[in-house]
Structures are given as structure tokens and as C-alpha cells.
Amino acid sequence: MNYRRVPTVDELYADDEALILTDVRAVRVSGIGPKLLAILSDQWQSESALVAGMEELFGSPDTGSARDHVVGALTQLLDQGLVESDDPVDGIALAT
Amino acid sequence: MSPDLRFLDIEALGVPIRLHVKAEPDTAASILDELRHAWQLCTTTGQPPTRHLLIWLSDDLAQDPPHGFDGLAQHRNLPHLLQIATQQITRLAILGNAGRYLMLHAAGLAHPVTGDAVAFVAAGGTGKTTLCRTLGPKWAYLTDETVAMDQSDQIVPYPKPLSIREPHRNAKYETAPTDLGLKVPTVPARLRSIVFLERQPDWAGPIQVTDLPVFDAIVELTPQSSSLNRLPRPLHLLAELHARLDRVSKVVYGEAATLEPFIADLIGAAR
């Protein structure tokens, strides 16, 4: 599955948290979410590429697999409306 | 006799608005008198009107403003008509300032001598007007609806009439601030603190004050702001505002009168 960021109005980063302003509300992002947002862009990226990018920039997690951490964070970002996937069921948009 | 059309010019948040009243001639004159009294603290500075609101006492309900008008207030019942007119005036004022001012859904009181001001942020119907009515006479009245401020935190007063429900009467009445003992400050008002109101009618103990960290404050402020997305880098703007202010707090309370010592701590006792 591929993922990309949706456009935002403004973003604020502090410590391990981020605040993202969309057209409708301010959304708080914590955990590895802010780091993942830094890697995501408006271009589609595969889950594998995102896992590799996170490991390259931030190393492996202390516990669990990097993939599990990234998938969990992506699911949360999808729920928060900050990311879309090309999954026709769970995602917002279809890849073109 | 055909309906008469008369007008009154006011300024709401600096936006010059012409209120056009449409009704039978005698009624139109009395509506205009009521508007003139209720909006006496929002008088025009002589700018030509840039917005036109039609206030129409009528049984027939139109869907959209007629050509040439930016807004329509229409009702068959006069108190309701005036209340809708206030809502429409606020809407036009906010539209006219989108991208210019930071606008919060808040009441505002200021110290009459220093101009130090506090914004009481709350959703509609949750205590702003009651707070202004109860404690406003002790300080200076800025607004019970929209606190608008420029980049130096100077507040543009919007001393609109207050919608007051009188005992044993169903409708709310648009009441001139001066009828409630409210006065506008004679010095520029500058925002010093933001307080999020959380009124709990059954709250019997002392007020409970919690200071809000910057992210918490922004998350609370965002839904209570107008046209925030039109300002440049709005989250950064709010974070910088949070850093400049003396306090950003949430207060849980039961009765507005119990907030008096807290407000005195924020902007100083006035009288």
C-alpha cells in the first residue's frame, strides 16, 4: 500500500509532538507520528520505503519491529485525516 | 401604505455596515430607533458603508438577500428580528476582517485605566453574555461575542448589544450595553490573558483554574476562532501569542460573580 500526506494549513513541532492545522481543525500528533510526517510527502510512498526511511533516519525501535510501529502510526495518521492511502477501502484516494 | 425603507450606519469591528430597515412606515421608524439605541456604542466614524444588511419585518421569508444586499435578517416578530440582525452584523464584521485580525469567539473585558484585557473564550450559549452582564460594569466592556486583535494584541472593541432573556418572556431582547451599566474603555485595550470558560451550573465550590500549555491552548482555541486559516502561519501566530500572554487558563465555575477575584488578578481590580 502507498501513502502520502494531505495538504495542511500550518504545522508546529515541539519536542516529540506536532500540531497540524487542516482546513477544519488542529490535530495533535505524538509518538513516532511527527517523525513519520517528516518523511512523508505529497508523493506516494510505499509502506516498505517508509519503514526503511524511518530506520535510516531514526534507527530501529527499542522494542517491536519497525514495520509494526510505522503501520500503527500510519493507521493513526489516516484516522486523523493527515495522510491518505491508495487502498480503495481504507484510504481516502485512489492512486492515479 | 407601502413598506418604508430607512437606514442606519454603524461600524462593527471597523467594518462600516448600513442597516436598511424595511417595514410599514411607523414600524420602520420605531425599529430604527431601537437599532440606534442598541448599537449606540458602534457608531460610524463616517466611512462609507462597504456592507449592506436588509432588516425586514415580514411574514414572508426570502431565502437569499435581495440584489445589492450582503445579508438578510427577516422575521415577523420584532425581538427575533433584532436578534437575527445582530447575528448577521457579526457575520458581516467577521467576513470583512478575515485575514486581517485574529478573531476569537470570546467575550472581552478590559481595565478602564490601563487597557489590560482578558478574552473569555466559550462556545455560544455557555456564559459569555452573563459574564459581561454580571462583571462588565466593574471593568470596561469590549464585546460579548468576538474578540478581534491585531498583531500587537490590540483589541478592536465590538461593543454590540447583548441578547438578554427577560424573566417570564420567551424571546431574547437586544439590549444596549449602556442599559446594563457597561462602558467601553477610553484607552486602547491590549490582550493580556485568555480564559476558557467552562460553566457547570451545579458547580458549588470555589472556581477551578488550570493553566494550559501551548498545544492544549491551541487545540482549544482553533474551533473557537473565525477565519483562522486566512492568517499567515496561524499555528505559529497562536504559539507566539501564548508566549506573550500573562496567562492562558481554563476555569470551571458555577456563577459568573465568583470569577471577580480571578479577573482582578488577571487585569487588576477596577472599581
Side-chain angles (χ1 to χ4, degrees):
Chain A
M1 206 184 308
N2 298 301
Y3 300 87
R4 68 179 177 186
R5 296 188 59 164
V6 300
T8 59
V9 176
D10 195 13
E11 301 180 5
L12 200 59
Y13 291 83
D15 299 327
D16 291 330
E17 276 194 306
L19 208 52
I20 312 296
L21 184 63
T22 68
D23 278 337
V24 291
R25 63 199 170 113
V27 179
R28 201 167 190 155
V29 181
S30 56
I32 66 167
K35 291 173 178 169
L36 194 53
L37 282 174
I39 289 178
L40 284 155
S41 70
D42 59 359
Q43 302 296 311
W44 293 107
Q45 295 180 77
S46 69
E47 187 180 294
S48 298
L50 291 168
V51 172
M54 287 290 283
E55 283 193 298
E56 183 182 342
L57 284 175
F58 305 111
S60 298
D62 294 337
T63 58
S65 75
R67 180 171 300 277
D68 288 347
H69 281 266
V70 168
V71 168
L74 283 169
T75 302
Q76 191 166 9
L77 293 174
L78 277 167
D79 290 343
Q80 291 174 310
L82 302 177
V83 164
E84 57 188 357
S85 81
D86 59 1
D87 184 316
V89 177
D90 295 329
I92 296 169
L94 290 169
T96 53
Chain B
M1 219 179 322
S2 62
D4 201 8
L5 191 59
R6 306 172 182 223
F7 66 81
L8 169 70
D9 287 343
I10 65 167
E11 279 186 27
L13 293 174
V15 177
I17 303 174
R18 178 160 291 177
L19 311 180
H20 301 260
V21 174
K22 187 175 180 183
E24 297 301 321
D26 288 351
T27 313
S30 69
I31 293 174
L32 211 60
D33 286 343
E34 290 212 30
L35 285 168
R36 193 176 287 113
H37 181 70
W39 288 89
Q40 61 184 273
L41 298 183
C42 295
T43 51
T44 176
T45 56
Q47 296 184 77
T50 59
R51 300 286 196 280
H52 294 264
L53 174 66
L54 178 60
I55 301 172
W56 190 357
L57 185 70
S58 167
D59 286 340
D60 303 323
L61 295 181
Q63 294 295 322
D64 299 309
H67 179 71
F69 293 96
D70 304 289
L72 169 67
Q74 190 175 28
H75 205 279
R76 63 171 66 92
N77 173 278
L78 183 56
H80 282 111
L81 176 67
L82 296 177
Q83 197 180 347
I84 295 168
T86 297
Q87 293 162 358
Q88 288 292 318
I89 291 166
T90 300
R91 184 182 68 83
L92 293 176
I94 288 173
L95 283 174
N97 284 299
R100 183 180 184 199
Y101 295 131
L102 172 60
M103 292 179 281
L104 304 177
H105 198 196
L109 297 180
H111 191 285
V113 176
T114 65
D116 288 347
V118 56
F120 300 95
V121 178
T126 59
K128 297 191 298 294
T129 299
T130 302
L131 186 148
C132 288
R133 187 182 184 184
T134 306
L135 296 175
K138 295 178 183 296
W139 283 279
Y141 174 63
L142 296 169
T143 181
D144 74 335
E145 178 65 35
T146 303
V147 168
M149 76 198 83
D150 65 15
Q151 291 181 342
S152 64
D153 305 339
Q154 187 164 318
I155 294 173
V156 183
Y158 180 38
K160 59 179 276 297
L162 295 85
S163 294
I164 302 290
R165 190 185 301 279
E166 294 180 0
H168 314 300
R169 300 177 81 174
N170 283 332
K172 287 185 173 180
Y173 287 81
E174 297 305 288
T175 308
T178 51
D179 290 348
L180 300 168
L182 300 173
K183 295 175 181 172
V184 290
T186 54
V187 295
R190 199 172 298 277
L191 188 70
R192 297 298 186 196
S193 294
I194 291 176
V195 174
F196 295 89
L197 297 179
E198 188 177 322
R199 182 173 178 270
Q200 296 183 5
D202 296 333
W203 188 267
I207 67 168
Q208 185 179 84
V209 181
T210 308
D211 287 326
L212 296 183
V214 59
F215 276 23
D216 291 347
I218 293 175
V219 169
E220 297 264 359
L221 270 178
T222 306
Q224 300 301 339
S225 61
S226 298
S227 304
L228 184 64
N229 292 0
R230 296 280 303 275
L231 293 169
R233 304 184 80 209
L235 291 181
H236 290 75
L237 186 146
L238 291 176
E240 289 157 11
L241 174 67
H242 184 279
R244 285 196 302 273
L245 293 177
D246 295 337
R247 278 187 92 167
V248 178
S249 313
K250 174 178 280 192
V251 62
V252 182
Y253 69 104
E255 296 298 330
T258 61
L259 295 173
E260 183 176 346
F262 177 54
I263 300 172
D265 280 348
L266 294 176
I267 56 174
R271 52 183 104 145

